[in-house]
Amino acid sequence: MKRVVSPQFLKGQQVNIDAEPMATNTVVKLISKDGCEFCIPLSCCRLSEVITSSELECQEESSQEDGVENQNNSCITTLSLTTSRIHSTTLRKVVEFLTHYETEEMIPFEPPFDSEDINVIVKQKWYSNFITKDVDHSLLIDIISAANFLVSAS
């Protein structure tokens, strides 16, 4: 059984989409290795060359409320990451990062570092918590691998 997870379920965040008119209502469905689906606004995917350079097919969706069919003006595009070997636990964290980045960009940091403490290196609390709270070494390596895959279109 597939689970569908949207960004609103990630830490209760509301997503503000300020994208081009064509992409305003476009949602990308990412499918993990284990079949879990994650829906994320296309505007949140700007860091991913793999997603933004893909030819995404739009499937108009309509909803039915009180027996009346309404067009919700959203476009669901599907990008299957099944072959990329990204597990749902990792993909959930990637979607969480991309969704948060849309509202608060991460301040870049580069070595040499004055400390080994991640809270000193990464100045923004959300980002330092993102990689320290409930993230073991194995998951961190998986997140880095998934990020490397999603950033590189080649």
Side-chain angles (χ1 to χ4, degrees), residues 39-149:
C39 294
I40 182 171
L42 179 60
S43 62
C44 293
C45 299
R46 62 189 162 134
L47 292 177
S48 173
E49 290 178 28
V50 169
I51 295 171
T52 57
S53 67
S54 295
E55 287 188 24
L56 302 170
E57 284 189 28
C58 230
Q59 300 170 341
E60 294 297 324
E61 263 200 1
S62 60
S63 62
Q64 191 152 344
E65 294 177 18
D66 300 325
V68 178
E69 189 171 312
N70 295 319
Q71 198 69 15
N72 65 8
N73 295 324
S74 68
C75 175
I76 305 295
T77 60
T78 302
L79 177 63
S80 174
L81 296 180
T82 306
T83 59
S84 69
R85 302 176 189 226
I86 299 175
H87 191 272
S88 61
T89 305
T90 305
L91 192 54
R92 176 184 307 276
K93 291 296 281 183
V94 170
V95 168
E96 182 181 355
F97 181 92
L98 292 172
T99 303
H100 185 80
Y101 189 89
E102 180 69 10
T103 59
E104 179 191 15
E105 288 189 17
M106 188 167 134
I107 298 169
F109 52 89
E110 292 188 26
F113 303 121
D114 296 333
S115 172
E116 291 183 13
D117 182 358
I118 195 70
N119 296 309
V120 173
I121 297 168
V122 180
K123 306 289 186 216
Q124 295 157 287
K125 186 167 183 66
W126 187 93
Y127 288 103
S128 63
N129 286 341
F130 175 79
I131 55 174
T132 58
K133 302 286 183 195
D134 302 321
V135 176
D136 60 18
H137 183 74
S138 175
L139 180 56
L140 182 58
I141 297 302
D142 290 345
I143 293 168
I144 292 168
S145 295
N148 287 336
F149 165 75

Side-chain angles (χ1 to χ4, degrees), residues 17-26 42 73 75:
I17 305 172
D18 293 321
E20 302 98 31
M22 192 169 104
T24 300
N25 294 317
T26 302
L42 179 60
N73 295 324
C75 175

